[in-house]
Amino acid sequence: MDNLFIGALVRASLCRKHGGTARQHYWNSGGYSRTFKPKARRFSSQVLVSLEEESYSGSNPDRETLISLVDEYPDYSASLEPPELIPSPGLAELQRPSVKNEPASPRIVRSARNEVERKAIEDLQNYLRNVSVSHETLFEKYQALPCPRPLFLKSNSIRKLLNRLSVLERKNVASMLRYLTVIEEIKAAGIRMTVSEWSTAIAFAGRCFSKVTATEVESALHLWKEMELDAKIKSSAATFNILFDIATKSGKFVLAEMILKEMKARGLAATRFTRVGEIYCCGLRGDGDGVRRTYKNLVDAGEIVDTTVLNCVIASLIRAGEPTAARHVFERMKQLSFSRKGLNPPPHQWREMRELGRTLHDAMKTRLSNPEFYQKAKRETSMAPDLRTFRILISHHTQQTGDIEQVIGLLGEMGQFEIPIHGSLFLTILKGFAMHGGQRYGSWTRDRLEGVWKAILQGLDEGVEDLYLGRWIAIYAIRAYGKCCGTNRTLEIWHEIQGRWQPKDGDEEWLKKRVSDVLEGRLSSLKD
């Protein structure tokens, strides 16, 4: 079993067949610009014979099939009355403004006053046309403009700049500061922004940290208030979806309900993102029946179910304390994917995932005017497990159940679905050793940890996607060895990390302190 565990990691991480090519999405529709070239998908015969025969037929699942993916238990909560909502002062002030979103009036763009200013403006325009330029470089070129900077740019250049700064895999403090700096200068220059740009600013204010607190909620509501009351810009459904997501992730469920209620009162229809957000909210509230109910509502509304939706259901059921039900959904996903052979796998790269979500949103939005495109999207959208599916389940077993045999099995299944290993999985597994290692007769043994560390080093040499020796891999490796091995071996790993790592400012001192804490704790436990 040890060899299987180590082999699964090493084969998945080092196989060039799996690691080199980004998989792409899907289907084409006449006149529709969001198209991708598909990559053929192959399953081994061993995978097909290892699963029971499935009763699903055809490539376009009907409503009953989709409902059966999740509907394991009866829903006893549908008849319960929702809790009475307590009005929020910040929300009440913004209810149903009488303003309309007016188009921006023409404005005069300032001309460069000398050659230096002309060159700065021209450089930014050239960089905006180059899609490979980083956000950091774009912002640096923007900062080189004469002040007040936005007045020297045409409106379409401002739109392009804000759009480029908003599209990224993960929001963080640096990206938030870049975007909001430009926004503040645009406001100071008296230039009108679009509702989309305001909504993006709200998203940055509320989602730039991994954990959303009351501070982020307050910042987001402040921007929303400024948008509607000062700038006279009326919120869109996307604005409310962002506010709902921020309120949900902060644990302010009453506020989240009020936001949805206000959205409905303004006549804004729920979208795909609204309904997936409701599933996620029920999971955070520990409401498993609510997860099933909101999923059923999504299906009944005609939304296209894809891997992202089912991943949300799985994660939400686990959060609600129903891991068995989550596993049930996972098994149904596998069975359904094998019965619908020939489909492209779910997209792997974050840009493709973002594009797919927007495409499915548009297909639903235009299903009456373009039913052929809607049916094609529904028929050809995959519901197969992807990297995130496995990451959710592996995280559950490494951080909650401590069942390493389940982790081994899931890693093996990733290979069956041709899903390449990802750096985040190594971190998740190291966390498992840090939490469950060091127990007598336990399964998280030193030998297994050594195998994982060997796979990590080989993955670093081979360039596994999103695997790099940063502070979190380093600290969890030290913690894992501190739990499973002696002080000497832990120090050896620390010296090995130091030989490979190029820390950012402050990271090395931060990690040295953590290493010292781990070693002191190890020595303390030996004395006891």
Side-chain angles (χ1 to χ4, degrees):
M1 188 59 74
D2 285 350
N3 291 334
L4 173 62
F5 178 71
I6 296 168
L9 281 171
V10 174
R11 283 196 302 274
S13 64
L14 303 182
C15 178
R16 296 186 183 279
K17 177 183 175 183
H18 294 170
T21 306
R23 289 176 281 168
Q24 294 183 318
H25 178 64
Y26 268 39
W27 21 264
N28 191 2
S29 176
Y32 201 82
S33 62
R34 291 177 182 158
T35 59
F36 301 90
K37 293 181 181 179
K39 175 183 174 183
R41 183 175 190 177
R42 296 179 178 86
F43 295 103
S44 68
S45 57
Q46 181 180 3
V47 177
L48 296 178
V49 299
S50 66
L51 293 175
E52 296 178 359
E53 289 296 323
E54 177 56 45
S55 61
Y56 298 135
S57 60
S59 60
N60 192 359
D62 56 19
R63 175 184 177 278
E64 287 69 27
T65 298
L66 294 174
I67 293 295
S68 71
L69 284 167
V70 176
D71 192 17
E72 183 177 12
Y73 305 116
D75 178 9
Y76 298 108
S77 61
S79 61
L80 298 178
E81 292 295 325
E84 184 178 353
L85 300 180
I86 303 171
S88 166
L91 188 66
E93 294 178 20
L94 297 169
Q95 292 179 353
R96 291 174 289 285
S98 58
V99 300
K100 294 183 179 180
N101 292 343
E102 302 292 344
S105 56
R107 64 184 182 85
I108 299 174
V109 179
R110 290 189 184 181
S111 300
R113 293 163 292 196
N114 53 52
E115 183 61 22
V116 174
E117 293 183 355
R118 186 198 65 76
K119 180 69 166 55
I121 296 169
E122 184 179 318
D123 281 351
L124 179 61
Q125 302 286 3
N126 291 334
Y127 277 91
L128 284 173
R129 284 190 284 269
N130 186 350
V131 296
S132 64
V133 172
S134 68
H135 292 173
E136 292 83 357
T137 302
L138 269 182
F139 186 68
E140 180 182 325
K141 294 299 178 183
Y142 170 77
Q143 291 284 80
L145 297 179
C147 294
R149 299 179 185 89
L151 294 181
F152 288 87
L153 294 175
K154 295 179 180 179
S155 294
N156 65 336
S157 296
I158 292 175
R159 305 281 89 84
K160 285 181 182 177
L161 175 63
L162 290 174
N163 178 260
R164 288 283 297 279
L165 294 177
S166 70
V167 179
L168 69 169
E169 184 174 6
R170 298 182 188 91
K171 293 179 173 62
N172 55 34
V173 176
S175 61
M176 179 268 291
L177 291 174
R178 283 193 294 266
Y179 192 88
L180 294 187
T181 295
V182 179
I183 289 292
E184 287 301 317
E185 293 187 355
I186 290 172
K187 291 191 294 183
I191 299 173
R192 188 175 176 84
M193 296 191 304
T194 66
V195 63
S196 175
E197 291 160 355
W198 276 105
S199 298
T200 303
I202 293 170
F204 270 108
R207 296 172 176 167
C208 63
F209 295 101
S210 57
K211 184 176 181 180
V212 181
T213 67
T215 301
E216 285 72 56
V217 174
E218 184 178 353
S219 298
L221 290 177
H222 174 78
L223 273 174
W224 185 39
K225 181 177 179 180
E226 184 180 358
M227 167 184 145
E228 293 216 331
L229 299 186
D230 298 339
K232 308 297 183 186
I233 299 289
K234 191 175 181 181
S235 299
S236 65
T239 314
F240 280 102
N241 289 337
I242 291 166
L243 289 168
F244 176 73
D245 181 66
I246 293 169
T248 296
K249 289 177 178 176
S250 70
K252 296 185 178 297
F253 301 120
V254 172
L255 176 62
E257 292 286 348
M258 293 180 67
I259 289 169
L260 288 184
K261 185 177 180 181
E262 178 62 19
M263 178 181 176
K264 183 178 180 181
R266 294 190 185 190
L268 296 172
T271 67
R272 171 186 181 81
F273 306 110
T274 314
R275 296 185 174 101
V276 173
E278 288 182 285
I279 295 172
Y280 183 82
C281 181
C282 289
L284 289 180
R285 297 178 74 161
D287 182 4
D289 286 335
V291 171
R292 283 180 280 275
R293 183 175 64 254
T294 50
Y295 170 78
K296 180 175 179 294
N297 292 341
L298 180 146
V299 173
D300 289 341
E303 296 287 355
I304 299 172
V305 176
D306 70 337
T307 301
T308 298
V309 172
L310 295 175
N311 284 346
C312 183
V313 171
I314 290 172
S316 299
L317 286 171
I318 289 174
R319 287 192 185 96
E322 298 190 24
T324 302
R327 184 75 190 206
H328 164 85
V329 177
F330 173 61
E331 295 298 331
R332 290 292 182 89
M333 287 175 73
K334 292 191 297 182
Q335 293 169 353
L336 187 58
S337 69
F338 292 131
S339 73
R340 302 174 75 212
K341 299 186 244 339
L343 292 184
N344 292 285
H348 177 57
Q349 299 295 332
W350 69 270
R351 288 183 182 274
E352 297 164 10
M353 295 170 67
R354 177 178 182 268
E355 195 71 11
L356 173 59
R358 296 172 65 188
T359 300
L360 297 181
H361 169 74
D362 290 348
M364 176 66 178
K365 189 175 179 181
T366 61
R367 66 174 179 161
L368 295 180
S369 59
N370 192 356
E372 294 82 8
F373 175 53
Y374 171 78
Q375 290 299 329
K376 186 176 180 66
K378 191 173 183 180
R379 183 171 61 252
E380 299 186 12
T381 296
S382 174
M383 286 178 272
D386 65 358
L387 172 65
R388 175 155 173 74
T389 317
F390 286 96
R391 191 160 57 198
I392 292 166
L393 294 169
I394 289 172
S395 294
H396 171 64
H397 289 299
T398 56
Q399 297 177 42
Q400 296 182 44
T401 69
D403 189 341
I404 199 170
E405 310 304 334
Q406 288 288 343
V407 174
I408 293 169
L410 288 165
L411 288 169
E413 289 190 87
M414 282 182 64
Q416 294 169 2
F417 279 89
E418 299 186 7
I419 298 172
I421 199 73
H422 191 268
S424 60
L425 289 178
F426 285 111
L427 178 59
T428 298
I429 293 168
L430 285 176
K431 287 181 179 179
F433 281 99
M435 292 180 69
H436 308 293
Q439 299 178 15
R440 182 174 293 182
Y441 309 121
S443 301
W444 298 81
T445 63
R446 172 176 180 159
D447 288 343
R448 281 174 164 171
L449 175 59
E450 294 286 2
V452 171
W453 184 244
K454 179 181 178 182
I456 288 174
L457 297 181
Q458 290 178 323
L460 288 168
D461 294 337
E462 293 290 327
V464 169
E465 182 185 354
D466 206 34
L467 176 61
Y468 54 91
L469 197 52
R471 60 156 62 183
W472 295 114
I473 283 278
I475 189 58
Y476 277 105
I478 295 299
R479 288 177 179 173
Y481 272 92
K483 272 289 193 74
C484 299
C485 308
T487 302
N488 291 338
R489 182 57 179 149
T490 305
L491 281 173
E492 288 175 6
I493 293 298
W494 168 231
H495 294 317
E496 192 170 6
I497 289 171
Q498 285 180 305
R500 284 175 168 264
W501 191 27
Q502 298 296 325
K504 298 178 182 177
D505 292 342
D507 275 2
E508 188 166 13
E509 290 303 317
W510 178 88
L511 188 56
K512 281 181 179 178
K513 175 66 167 61
R514 299 306 184 277
V515 172
S516 176
D517 291 344
V518 170
L519 293 177
E520 286 178 10
R522 174 78 188 176
L523 292 171
S524 222
S525 66
L526 290 175
K527 289 176 185 177
D528 295 342

